[in-house]
Amino acid sequence: MIYFDNSATTCPDEGVLTSFIEVNKRFFANPASIHLAGKQAETLLEKSREQILSILGAPDGDLVFTSGGTEANNLSVIGFARAFRSRGNHIITTEIEHPSVLNAMEYLETQGFVVDYLTVDEQGLISVEELKSKLRPETIVVSIMHVNNEIGTIQPIAECARIIKEHSRALFHSDTVQSFGKLPVSLKGDGPDAVTISAHKINGLKGSGILAFRRGIPPQALNFGGGQERGLRSGTVAVADAVALAKAMRISMVDEEQKEFRQWRNRLIDFIAPYDDVVILAPDQAAPHIVSIAFYRVKGEVAINFFQENGITVSTSSACSSKSTTAGHVIEAIGLAEKYKNGVIRISFGKNNIEQHVVEFEQVFARFMALLGRGND
Ligand SMILES: Cc1ncc(COP(=O)(O)O)c(C=O)c1O
Protein backbone atom coordinates (compact mmCIF):
# COMPACT_ATOMS: atom_id res chain seq x y z
CA MET A 1 0.00 0.00 0.00
CA ILE A 2 1.27 3.46 -0.89
CA TYR A 3 0.49 5.86 1.92
CA PHE A 4 -0.03 9.45 0.79
CA ASP A 5 -1.97 10.78 3.78
CA ASN A 6 0.93 12.07 5.87
CA SER A 7 -0.76 15.36 6.68
CA ALA A 8 -3.44 13.40 8.55
CA THR A 9 -0.85 11.34 10.38
CA THR A 10 2.51 9.68 9.82
CA CYS A 11 3.91 6.24 10.51
CA PRO A 12 5.88 6.28 13.79
CA ASP A 13 9.64 6.15 13.32
CA GLU A 14 11.28 2.92 14.59
CA GLY A 15 13.77 4.84 16.75
CA VAL A 16 10.97 6.89 18.28
CA LEU A 17 9.04 3.72 19.11
CA THR A 18 12.13 2.15 20.67
CA SER A 19 12.76 5.22 22.84
CA PHE A 20 9.13 5.25 23.94
CA ILE A 21 9.21 1.59 24.98
CA GLU A 22 12.62 1.88 26.68
CA VAL A 23 11.62 4.92 28.71
CA ASN A 24 8.34 3.30 29.72
CA LYS A 25 10.21 0.20 30.85
CA ARG A 26 13.14 1.82 32.62
CA PHE A 27 11.91 5.24 33.72
CA PHE A 28 8.26 4.68 34.47
CA ALA A 29 8.36 6.49 37.84
CA ASN A 30 6.33 9.61 38.38
CA PRO A 31 8.60 12.59 37.58
CA ALA A 32 7.01 14.50 40.46
CA SER A 33 8.09 11.88 43.02
CA ILE A 34 11.04 12.82 45.18
CA HIS A 35 12.66 9.35 45.31
CA LEU A 36 15.57 8.43 43.06
CA ALA A 37 13.45 6.80 40.35
CA GLY A 38 11.24 9.89 40.24
CA LYS A 39 14.28 12.16 39.99
CA GLN A 40 15.65 10.08 37.11
CA ALA A 41 12.34 10.38 35.25
CA GLU A 42 12.30 14.11 35.95
CA THR A 43 15.85 14.49 34.63
CA LEU A 44 14.82 12.80 31.38
CA LEU A 45 11.74 15.01 31.12
CA GLU A 46 13.74 18.20 31.62
CA LYS A 47 16.39 17.03 29.16
CA SER A 48 13.66 16.55 26.54
CA ARG A 49 12.30 20.02 27.29
CA GLU A 50 15.77 21.54 26.86
CA GLN A 51 16.37 19.67 23.61
CA ILE A 52 13.07 20.83 22.15
CA LEU A 53 13.65 24.45 23.15
CA SER A 54 17.10 24.35 21.66
CA ILE A 55 15.70 22.93 18.39
CA LEU A 56 13.29 25.88 18.40
CA GLY A 57 16.21 28.27 18.88
CA ALA A 58 14.88 29.38 22.26
CA PRO A 59 16.98 27.82 25.02
CA ASP A 60 15.56 30.41 27.40
CA GLY A 61 11.97 29.78 26.29
CA ASP A 62 9.34 27.63 27.94
CA LEU A 63 7.04 24.82 26.91
CA VAL A 64 4.15 22.71 28.10
CA PHE A 65 3.77 19.07 27.08
CA THR A 66 0.21 18.42 25.89
CA SER A 67 -1.89 15.62 24.45
CA GLY A 68 -1.29 16.95 20.93
CA GLY A 69 -1.86 19.87 18.62
CA THR A 70 -5.51 20.30 19.56
CA GLU A 71 -4.83 20.76 23.26
CA ALA A 72 -1.83 23.01 22.59
CA ASN A 73 -3.92 25.24 20.29
CA ASN A 74 -6.74 25.38 22.86
CA LEU A 75 -4.27 26.25 25.62
CA SER A 76 -2.69 28.93 23.52
CA VAL A 77 -5.81 30.65 22.21
CA ILE A 78 -7.92 30.46 25.37
CA GLY A 79 -5.05 30.50 27.89
CA PHE A 80 -3.34 33.60 26.46
CA ALA A 81 -6.66 35.40 25.92
CA ARG A 82 -7.49 34.88 29.60
CA ALA A 83 -3.96 35.77 30.72
CA PHE A 84 -4.09 39.14 28.91
CA ARG A 85 -7.78 39.92 29.52
CA SER A 86 -6.94 42.99 31.62
CA ARG A 87 -5.27 44.57 28.57
CA GLY A 88 -8.14 44.11 26.14
CA ASN A 89 -10.59 41.65 24.58
CA HIS A 90 -9.71 41.73 20.88
CA ILE A 91 -8.28 38.72 19.05
CA ILE A 92 -7.29 38.17 15.43
CA THR A 93 -7.10 34.88 13.57
CA THR A 94 -7.73 33.63 10.03
CA GLU A 95 -10.74 31.94 8.52
CA ILE A 96 -8.68 28.89 7.50
CA GLU A 97 -7.27 27.79 10.87
CA HIS A 98 -7.59 24.22 12.11
CA PRO A 99 -10.85 23.61 14.06
CA SER A 100 -8.84 23.42 17.29
CA VAL A 101 -8.20 27.15 16.86
CA LEU A 102 -11.49 28.15 15.22
CA ASN A 103 -13.71 26.37 17.75
CA ALA A 104 -11.67 27.81 20.62
CA MET A 105 -12.24 31.26 19.08
CA GLU A 106 -15.97 30.57 18.89
CA TYR A 107 -15.94 29.69 22.57
CA LEU A 108 -14.08 32.93 23.40
CA GLU A 109 -16.74 34.91 21.56
CA THR A 110 -19.33 33.50 23.97
CA GLN A 111 -17.14 34.82 26.81
CA GLY A 112 -17.14 38.45 25.66
CA PHE A 113 -14.02 38.43 23.47
CA VAL A 114 -14.24 39.97 20.01
CA VAL A 115 -12.60 37.95 17.22
CA ASP A 116 -11.67 39.23 13.77
CA TYR A 117 -11.16 36.59 11.07
CA LEU A 118 -8.67 37.51 8.34
CA THR A 119 -9.89 36.52 4.89
CA VAL A 120 -7.73 34.64 2.38
CA ASP A 121 -7.38 34.89 -1.39
CA GLU A 122 -7.88 32.01 -3.85
CA GLN A 123 -4.45 30.67 -2.87
CA GLY A 124 -5.34 30.60 0.81
CA LEU A 125 -3.05 33.54 1.56
CA ILE A 126 -3.88 36.25 4.10
CA SER A 127 -3.07 39.91 3.43
CA VAL A 128 -0.59 41.51 5.81
CA GLU A 129 -2.26 44.82 5.01
CA GLU A 130 -5.55 43.44 6.34
CA LEU A 131 -3.74 42.19 9.45
CA LYS A 132 -2.25 45.64 9.99
CA SER A 133 -5.61 47.34 9.57
CA LYS A 134 -7.26 45.02 12.11
CA LEU A 135 -4.71 45.50 14.90
CA ARG A 136 -6.06 47.70 17.72
CA PRO A 137 -4.65 48.90 21.05
CA GLU A 138 -6.85 46.29 22.76
CA THR A 139 -5.69 43.38 20.56
CA ILE A 140 -4.26 40.80 22.94
CA VAL A 141 -3.76 37.65 20.83
CA VAL A 142 -3.13 36.97 17.13
CA SER A 143 -3.15 33.34 15.97
CA ILE A 144 -2.10 32.58 12.39
CA MET A 145 -1.18 29.09 11.19
CA HIS A 146 2.14 28.62 9.40
CA VAL A 147 1.09 25.99 6.83
CA ASN A 148 -2.51 25.18 6.01
CA ASN A 149 -3.33 21.50 6.46
CA GLU A 150 -5.75 21.30 3.52
CA ILE A 151 -3.97 23.08 0.68
CA GLY A 152 -0.47 23.72 2.03
CA THR A 153 -0.39 27.53 1.82
CA ILE A 154 2.52 29.06 3.74
CA GLN A 155 1.60 32.28 5.51
CA PRO A 156 4.21 35.07 5.77
CA ILE A 157 4.80 34.42 9.45
CA ALA A 158 7.97 36.53 9.84
CA GLU A 159 6.27 39.54 8.25
CA CYS A 160 3.17 39.03 10.42
CA ALA A 161 5.39 38.90 13.52
CA ARG A 162 7.08 42.15 12.52
CA ILE A 163 3.80 43.96 11.90
CA ILE A 164 2.22 42.67 15.10
CA LYS A 165 5.25 43.78 17.13
CA GLU A 166 5.41 47.20 15.45
CA HIS A 167 1.72 47.98 15.82
CA SER A 168 0.51 46.25 18.98
CA ARG A 169 1.34 44.51 22.22
CA ALA A 170 -0.49 41.35 21.15
CA LEU A 171 0.94 37.89 21.68
CA PHE A 172 1.53 36.14 18.37
CA HIS A 173 0.81 32.40 18.26
CA SER A 174 1.34 30.21 15.21
CA ASP A 175 0.03 26.69 14.69
CA THR A 176 3.13 25.05 13.19
CA VAL A 177 1.73 21.50 13.22
CA GLN A 178 2.03 21.14 9.43
CA SER A 179 5.24 23.09 9.01
CA PHE A 180 7.59 21.79 11.67
CA GLY A 181 10.14 19.50 10.00
CA LYS A 182 9.22 20.81 6.55
CA LEU A 183 10.09 24.48 6.97
CA PRO A 184 12.20 26.29 9.56
CA VAL A 185 10.18 26.92 12.73
CA SER A 186 11.68 29.02 15.48
CA LEU A 187 10.83 31.09 18.50
CA LYS A 188 13.92 33.23 17.92
CA GLY A 189 13.96 37.04 17.66
CA ASP A 190 11.63 37.80 14.77
CA GLY A 191 9.44 34.67 14.98
CA PRO A 192 6.11 34.14 16.75
CA ASP A 193 5.87 34.28 20.54
CA ALA A 194 4.28 30.82 20.78
CA VAL A 195 4.09 27.74 18.54
CA THR A 196 2.13 24.48 18.52
CA ILE A 197 3.71 21.19 17.45
CA SER A 198 2.10 17.74 17.24
CA ALA A 199 4.19 14.55 17.44
CA HIS A 200 2.16 12.33 15.14
CA LYS A 201 2.63 14.62 12.15
CA ILE A 202 6.42 14.18 12.33
CA ASN A 203 6.70 10.40 12.70
CA GLY A 204 6.14 10.63 16.44
CA LEU A 205 3.28 9.21 18.47
CA LYS A 206 -0.35 10.20 18.63
CA GLY A 207 -1.54 11.90 21.80
CA SER A 208 1.55 14.04 22.28
CA GLY A 209 2.48 17.61 21.44
CA ILE A 210 3.69 20.91 22.84
CA LEU A 211 2.89 24.56 23.20
CA ALA A 212 6.24 26.39 23.29
CA PHE A 213 6.47 30.10 24.13
CA ARG A 214 8.83 32.84 25.17
CA ARG A 215 9.61 32.82 28.87
CA GLY A 216 7.65 35.16 31.10
CA ILE A 217 4.37 35.12 29.19
CA PRO A 218 2.61 31.94 30.36
CA PRO A 219 -0.98 31.24 29.30
CA GLN A 220 -3.61 30.70 31.97
CA ALA A 221 -4.06 27.00 32.70
CA LEU A 222 -7.20 25.34 31.33
CA ASN A 223 -7.20 22.33 33.62
CA PHE A 224 -6.93 21.96 37.36
CA GLY A 225 -5.18 19.43 39.50
CA GLY A 226 -1.76 18.79 40.97
CA GLY A 227 -0.09 21.78 39.32
CA GLN A 228 2.36 19.83 37.15
CA GLU A 229 4.15 21.63 34.29
CA ARG A 230 4.57 24.68 36.55
CA GLY A 231 0.85 24.86 37.08
CA LEU A 232 0.12 25.15 33.35
CA ARG A 233 -1.04 21.60 32.70
CA SER A 234 -2.00 19.43 35.63
CA GLY A 235 -1.75 15.66 35.38
CA THR A 236 1.15 13.23 35.68
CA VAL A 237 3.51 14.08 32.84
CA ALA A 238 4.04 11.33 30.25
CA VAL A 239 7.85 11.24 30.29
CA ALA A 240 8.10 8.62 27.53
CA ASP A 241 5.93 10.81 25.28
CA ALA A 242 8.18 13.79 25.97
CA VAL A 243 11.34 11.82 25.16
CA ALA A 244 9.73 10.36 22.02
CA LEU A 245 8.61 13.79 20.87
CA ALA A 246 12.08 15.28 21.36
CA LYS A 247 13.49 12.39 19.34
CA ALA A 248 10.90 12.81 16.55
CA MET A 249 11.73 16.51 16.40
CA ARG A 250 15.47 15.83 16.21
CA ILE A 251 15.13 13.42 13.31
CA SER A 252 12.62 15.49 11.39
CA MET A 253 14.78 18.58 11.17
CA VAL A 254 14.63 20.07 7.70
CA ASP A 255 16.98 18.02 5.54
CA GLU A 256 17.66 16.79 2.05
CA GLU A 257 14.41 14.84 2.03
CA GLN A 258 12.43 18.06 1.76
CA LYS A 259 14.03 18.74 -1.61
CA GLU A 260 12.61 15.44 -2.83
CA PHE A 261 9.13 16.35 -1.61
CA ARG A 262 9.35 19.60 -3.53
CA GLN A 263 10.49 17.74 -6.68
CA TRP A 264 7.69 15.19 -6.36
CA ARG A 265 5.16 17.96 -5.85
CA ASN A 266 6.34 19.79 -8.97
CA ARG A 267 6.37 16.53 -10.89
CA LEU A 268 2.77 15.72 -9.89
CA ILE A 269 1.59 19.22 -10.73
CA ASP A 270 3.21 19.01 -14.19
CA PHE A 271 1.65 15.60 -14.74
CA ILE A 272 -1.88 16.56 -13.70
CA ALA A 273 -2.00 20.07 -15.21
CA PRO A 274 -2.74 19.02 -18.83
CA TYR A 275 -5.83 17.00 -17.82
CA ASP A 276 -9.26 18.49 -18.45
CA ASP A 277 -11.60 19.19 -15.58
CA VAL A 278 -9.12 18.98 -12.72
CA VAL A 279 -8.07 21.99 -10.68
CA ILE A 280 -4.75 21.86 -8.86
CA LEU A 281 -4.93 23.76 -5.60
CA ALA A 282 -1.29 24.74 -5.73
CA PRO A 283 -0.54 28.01 -3.99
CA ASP A 284 2.68 29.75 -5.12
CA GLN A 285 3.90 29.72 -1.54
CA ALA A 286 3.20 26.16 -0.46
CA ALA A 287 4.65 23.48 1.79
CA PRO A 288 6.64 20.85 -0.12
CA HIS A 289 4.62 17.85 1.08
CA ILE A 290 1.00 18.76 0.22
CA VAL A 291 -0.76 18.74 -3.18
CA SER A 292 -4.53 19.06 -3.28
CA ILE A 293 -6.55 18.63 -6.43
CA ALA A 294 -10.23 18.98 -7.24
CA PHE A 295 -12.17 16.92 -9.76
CA TYR A 296 -15.03 18.43 -11.75
CA ARG A 297 -18.34 16.91 -10.66
CA VAL A 298 -16.72 13.84 -9.11
CA LYS A 299 -17.01 13.29 -5.39
CA GLY A 300 -13.75 13.16 -3.46
CA GLU A 301 -14.82 9.82 -1.90
CA VAL A 302 -15.24 8.28 -5.34
CA ALA A 303 -11.68 9.22 -6.25
CA ILE A 304 -10.40 8.06 -2.88
CA ASN A 305 -12.07 4.66 -3.29
CA PHE A 306 -10.62 4.27 -6.77
CA PHE A 307 -7.11 5.04 -5.50
CA GLN A 308 -7.66 2.75 -2.52
CA GLU A 309 -8.69 -0.14 -4.78
CA ASN A 310 -5.48 0.46 -6.68
CA GLY A 311 -3.29 0.40 -3.58
CA ILE A 312 -2.93 4.11 -2.88
CA THR A 313 -4.18 5.91 0.22
CA VAL A 314 -5.07 9.56 -0.23
CA SER A 315 -7.63 11.63 1.67
CA THR A 316 -10.26 14.28 1.31
CA SER A 317 -8.81 17.66 2.09
CA SER A 318 -9.90 17.85 5.71
CA ALA A 319 -9.52 14.22 6.78
CA CYS A 320 -7.28 15.14 9.69
CA SER A 321 -10.05 17.03 11.39
CA SER A 322 -13.19 14.98 10.76
CA LYS A 323 -14.82 12.32 8.64
CA SER A 324 -16.93 14.97 6.97
CA THR A 325 -17.23 14.59 3.22
CA THR A 326 -18.72 17.98 2.44
CA ALA A 327 -16.50 20.86 1.34
CA GLY A 328 -14.55 22.16 4.31
CA HIS A 329 -14.17 25.73 5.54
CA VAL A 330 -10.83 26.14 3.73
CA ILE A 331 -12.28 25.14 0.38
CA GLU A 332 -15.16 27.57 1.00
CA ALA A 333 -12.73 30.33 2.05
CA ILE A 334 -10.63 30.11 -1.13
CA GLY A 335 -13.83 30.36 -3.18
CA LEU A 336 -13.39 27.17 -5.22
CA ALA A 337 -16.10 26.92 -7.92
CA GLU A 338 -19.18 24.99 -6.80
CA LYS A 339 -18.70 22.20 -9.37
CA TYR A 340 -15.28 21.34 -7.91
CA LYS A 341 -16.05 21.77 -4.21
CA ASN A 342 -16.96 18.20 -3.35
CA GLY A 343 -14.23 16.66 -5.48
CA VAL A 344 -11.15 17.65 -3.49
CA ILE A 345 -8.50 15.10 -2.56
CA ARG A 346 -5.22 15.69 -0.79
CA ILE A 347 -1.95 13.90 -1.49
CA SER A 348 0.62 14.38 1.27
CA PHE A 349 4.13 12.95 1.30
CA GLY A 350 6.05 11.57 4.25
CA LYS A 351 9.43 10.06 4.93
CA ASN A 352 8.31 6.53 4.04
CA ASN A 353 7.56 7.54 0.46
CA ILE A 354 9.88 7.05 -2.50
CA GLU A 355 9.74 8.48 -6.02
CA GLN A 356 8.30 5.21 -7.39
CA HIS A 357 5.16 5.90 -5.31
CA VAL A 358 4.67 9.11 -7.25
CA VAL A 359 5.13 7.24 -10.52
CA GLU A 360 2.48 4.69 -9.48
CA PHE A 361 0.14 7.46 -8.40
CA GLU A 362 0.43 8.98 -11.86
CA GLN A 363 -0.43 5.66 -13.49
CA VAL A 364 -3.52 5.18 -11.33
CA PHE A 365 -4.51 8.80 -11.85
CA ALA A 366 -4.30 8.34 -15.63
CA ARG A 367 -6.54 5.23 -15.38
CA PHE A 368 -9.05 7.13 -13.27
CA MET A 369 -9.22 9.97 -15.79
CA ALA A 370 -9.59 7.48 -18.64
CA LEU A 371 -12.48 5.87 -16.78
CA LEU A 372 -14.11 9.29 -16.45
CA GLY A 373 -13.51 9.84 -20.16
CA ARG A 374 -11.31 12.86 -19.56
CA GLY A 375 -8.30 13.57 -21.69
CA ASN A 376 -4.99 15.36 -21.25
CA ASP A 377 -4.42 17.24 -24.46
C1 LIG B 1 -2.77 22.47 11.29
C2 LIG B 1 -3.19 21.51 12.36
N1 LIG B 1 -3.35 21.96 13.62
C3 LIG B 1 -3.70 21.15 14.63
C4 LIG B 1 -3.93 19.80 14.41
C5 LIG B 1 -4.36 18.93 15.55
O1 LIG B 1 -3.30 18.13 16.01
P1 LIG B 1 -3.59 16.82 16.87
O2 LIG B 1 -4.11 15.77 15.92
O3 LIG B 1 -2.26 16.45 17.45
O4 LIG B 1 -4.57 17.17 17.93
C6 LIG B 1 -3.80 19.29 13.09
C7 LIG B 1 -4.06 17.88 12.77
O5 LIG B 1 -5.11 17.36 12.87
C8 LIG B 1 -3.41 20.17 12.05
O6 LIG B 1 -3.25 19.73 10.80
Side-chain angles (χ1 to χ4, degrees):
M1 194 256 294
I2 296 174
Y3 183 77
F4 271 160
D5 194 15
N6 291 280
S7 282
T9 198
T10 54
C11 175
D13 175 270
E14 282 296 330
V16 168
L17 280 173
T18 308
S19 296
F20 178 76
I21 293 167
E22 276 302 297
V23 174
N24 266 317
K25 277 187 186 160
R26 294 178 48 210
F27 301 98
F28 59 84
N30 190 324
S33 298
I34 56 169
H35 46 62
L36 180 62
K39 286 266 167 247
Q40 286 171 337
E42 191 196 17
T43 303
L44 264 187
L45 177 67
E46 293 315 316
K47 204 168 141 212
S48 304
R49 199 187 310 275
E50 268 170 37
Q51 282 172 354
I52 294 173
L53 286 170
S54 128
I55 289 171
L56 292 173
D60 55 352
D62 206 346
L63 71 81
V64 179
F65 288 103
T66 67
S67 64
T70 298
E71 185 190 330
N73 278 345
N74 280 201
L75 178 60
S76 184
V77 169
I78 302 173
F80 284 123
R82 286 183 182 158
F84 302 130
R85 182 75 178 88
S86 60
R87 278 200 221 153
N89 71 342
H90 182 239
I91 297 171
I92 300 175
T93 190
T94 81
E95 54 182 2
I96 59 162
E97 296 298 309
H98 187 266
S100 53
V101 167
L102 286 180
N103 292 341
M105 293 292 177
E106 235 175 69
Y107 163 74
L108 286 175
E109 285 175 305
T110 69
Q111 303 299 301
F113 291 88
V114 176
V115 183
D116 266 325
Y117 297 86
L118 302 178
T119 55
V120 294
D121 64 14
E122 67 291 345
Q123 302 217 0
L125 203 61
I126 60 159
S127 140
V128 284
E129 284 308 312
E130 190 187 9
L131 167 63
K132 196 164 146 189
S133 73
K134 292 263 159 68
L135 286 166
R136 309 184 200 158
E138 65 273 22
T139 309
I140 48 173
V141 175
V142 179
S143 186
I144 298 175
M145 74 196 324
H146 193 184
V147 163
N148 181 263
N149 48 304
E150 299 196 22
I151 57 171
T153 312
I154 304 173
Q155 302 298 347
I157 291 302
E159 212 181 333
C160 292
R162 188 178 52 76
I163 285 171
I164 294 163
K165 270 166 207 148
E166 267 174 31
H167 299 275
S168 77
R169 292 175 64 207
L171 174 128
F172 179 29
H173 165 251
S174 184
D175 174 350
T176 59
V177 165
Q178 292 290 343
S179 60
F180 184 84
K182 312 291 185 309
L183 302 170
V185 169
S186 144
L187 276 178
K188 261 196 275 204
D190 53 0
D193 301 309
V195 294
T196 292
I197 291 169
S198 169
H200 74 100
K201 309 285 185 180
I202 53 167
N203 303 97
L205 305 172
K206 288 164 197 60
S208 157
I210 52 157
L211 176 67
F213 46 92
R214 293 175 200 264
R215 181 148 294 177
I217 47 158
Q220 218 177 76
L222 303 187
N223 73 340
F224 305 94
Q228 288 90 341
E229 292 289 87
R230 293 156 327 289
L232 296 177
R233 206 256 190 176
S234 285
T236 303
V237 185
V239 178
D241 275 330
V243 173
L245 173 54
K247 176 136 192 159
M249 286 178 70
R250 279 202 306 277
I251 58 182
S252 72
M253 295 295 287
V254 179
D255 60 18
E256 285 298 299
E257 217 177 316
Q258 310 309 323
K259 276 197 210 139
E260 289 207 322
F261 290 174
R262 177 80 58 206
Q263 278 164 15
W264 299 347
R265 184 173 182 277
N266 292 342
R267 180 190 163 129
L268 262 191
I269 291 172
D270 289 346
F271 180 83
I272 295 168
Y275 279 92
D276 301 330
D277 301 329
V278 186
V279 171
I280 307 170
L281 306 174
D284 297 335
Q285 295 300 321
H289 63 305
I290 299 176
V291 191
S292 284
I293 55 179
F295 296 99
Y296 172 68
R297 293 203 202 289
V298 175
K299 286 212 161 130
E301 308 95 276
V302 173
I304 285 165
N305 287 341
F306 184 83
F307 282 103
Q308 192 64 78
E309 281 159 15
N310 288 278
I312 300 176
T313 299
V314 293
S315 70
T316 51
S317 58
S318 56
C320 65
S321 45
S322 80
K323 283 210 168 74
S324 161
T325 51
T326 52
H329 65 292
V330 178
I331 299 305
E332 293 290 348
I334 62 171
L336 186 65
E338 199 61 42
K339 57 197 179 198
Y340 285 104
K341 265 186 193 164
N342 293 322
V344 181
I345 66 165
R346 180 185 62 189
I347 301 120
S348 47
F349 309 130
K351 69 178 220 148
N352 291 350
N353 293 129
I354 52 171
E355 185 155 13
Q356 182 56 25
H357 293 165
V358 182
V359 174
E360 286 177 40
F361 177 90
E362 289 171 358
Q363 290 162 355
V364 176
F365 180 89
R367 289 211 293 280
F368 186 52
M369 296 310 272
L371 200 71
L372 296 173
R374 296 179 186 176
N376 61 345
D377 31 54

